[in-house]
Amino acid sequence: MRRLLTAVAVAAVMCLSPVPAGASAQLFGPSTNVCANAPIPTGSMPTAYFDWYQCGQPGTIYYNAKTVKVISDTSAGGTVTTCITPPPPAGFYATALSYSINCEISKTPNGVLNNQQMLTNLNGLPSGRTLVICGVQSAPPGWTVVAVVQTYLCVYARGGGVGDNAVSIRKL
């Protein structure tokens, strides 16, 4: 009887214990852990790279897994932080750049370039709204460039100088 109670107690503790990060292929919410060679679903962006034994033996140069987050359901004007590559879904533009060890694909990072971005969803924003987006580029469809600007939020090289590195845009 005592062994049965011990077994039940151990099973209860194991069932109620939190699952270690990376131990499950599906996380709660709009994020999923996948192997590094898996394609990124439309409307999603990577948020971290890491080693995961479910994807095989960890490599020595590159991580073998990534966390992918669905961002397409971000509200108009809402922001989400992701790794810089690949390009974001239509209507999402970088409004700030930063560095995160989580966004290093390589296990020997140089740490010279910012590799994380705050994306803002421009889809559905009202006319007259102004915003600064990183990169000297053409305005997105339905927007116009107001000015080419300089901002520390959009410096690509860590510790680099601020030159013309962004555009102020206005919704038509």
Side-chain angles (χ1 to χ4, degrees), residues 133-169:
I133 59 174
C134 297
V136 177
Q137 58 185 306
S138 301
W143 294 74
T144 187
V145 172
V146 176
V148 175
V149 297
Q150 300 175 358
T151 175
Y152 281 107
L153 292 175
C154 294
V155 173
Y156 184 58
R158 291 182 68 201
V162 177
D164 291 341
N165 61 359
V167 290
S168 176
I169 58 173

Side-chain angles (χ1 to χ4, degrees), residues 51-156:
D51 279 327
W52 192 23
Y53 282 97
Q54 289 187 3
C55 293
Q57 185 69 26
T60 56
I61 299 173
Y62 298 103
Y63 293 107
N64 69 0
K66 59 191 170 196
T67 299
V68 178
K69 180 176 183 167
V70 174
I71 67 167
S72 56
D73 59 359
T74 303
S75 62
T79 62
V80 62
T81 302
T82 71
C83 299
I84 283 183
T85 56
F92 285 81
Y93 287 82
T95 51
L97 304 175
S98 60
Y99 177 80
S100 172
I101 193 69
N102 290 333
C103 287
E104 287 290 353
I105 298 171
S106 168
K107 292 183 180 181
T108 55
N110 63 22
V112 174
L113 302 176
N114 284 319
N115 60 5
Q116 188 175 27
Q117 61 191 347
M118 182 171 67
L119 294 174
T120 301
N121 183 3
L122 304 185
N123 297 309
L125 288 176
S127 295
R129 175 75 185 265
T130 61
L131 194 67
V132 173
I133 59 174
C134 297
V136 177
Q137 58 185 306
S138 301
W143 294 74
T144 187
V145 172
V146 176
V148 175
V149 297
Q150 300 175 358
T151 175
Y152 281 107
L153 292 175
C154 294
V155 173
Y156 184 58

